[in-house]
Amino acid sequence: MENKQPQLDRAFAALSDPTRRAVVARLCLGEASVSELAEPFSIGLPTFLKHIRVLEDGGFLETRKNGRVRVCALKPEALRQTDTWLSEHLRLWTARLDRMEAHIQRRKKEIRNDE
């Protein structure tokens, strides 16, 4: 995973914005045109296209021209990479918290035995 660090950085940067997260969520339902994706947001199309570019750079979507319409499709690999990273860290922290809980329970038992 270490050699994929720049891509992971771009992926998390892309997900840092609520508009972009909403676009990714919408694309989980299927392909959509840029205008369909932009519809729920009260921002101009040039600004929205910047969000699309950030998601492309983050590896989350690809676009293609269909006549005059630009269609976006989700690329699930970026989601898998971020999920893998998060899962690894969640596993580590869960193990640490489990060890801390066991330590606390041992200390409570020691204190009760000392009384």
Side-chain angles (χ1 to χ4, degrees):
M1 181 66 59
E2 193 63 36
N3 60 347
K4 296 191 181 225
Q5 198 66 38
Q7 178 60 33
L8 192 60
D9 291 346
R10 286 191 300 275
F12 279 115
L15 293 175
S16 69
D17 183 86
T19 299
R20 293 190 292 266
R21 288 192 304 271
V23 169
V24 169
R26 166 52 188 87
L27 289 174
C28 285
L29 302 175
E31 295 181 352
S33 69
V34 170
S35 58
E36 287 176 291
L37 293 170
E39 190 176 304
F41 305 102
S42 58
I43 57 177
L45 192 57
T47 301
F48 187 76
L49 285 171
K50 289 179 184 178
H51 286 294
I52 295 298
R53 274 188 232 107
V54 171
L55 287 169
E56 283 179 301
D57 291 344
F60 286 100
L61 60 86
E62 59 188 0
T63 61
R64 70 177 190 285
K65 286 283 215 171
N66 190 3
R68 294 182 67 187
V69 178
R70 190 169 172 191
V71 177
C72 300
L74 189 65
K75 291 174 60 180
E77 182 56 33
L79 290 172
R80 279 194 278 281
Q81 288 176 0
T82 54
D83 181 55
T84 298
W85 188 90
L86 289 169
S87 295
E88 288 172 5
H89 286 80
L90 181 61
R91 182 181 52 77
L92 289 171
W93 277 103
T94 299
R96 288 177 182 173
L97 291 172
D98 288 346
R99 287 192 305 272
M100 180 185 280
E101 176 67 23
H103 174 73
I104 290 169
Q105 293 306 320
R106 280 192 307 274
R107 289 294 296 146
K108 283 182 178 178
K109 189 174 182 180
E110 289 170 5
I111 290 169
R112 282 193 300 266
N113 289 338
D114 288 343
E115 292 178 347

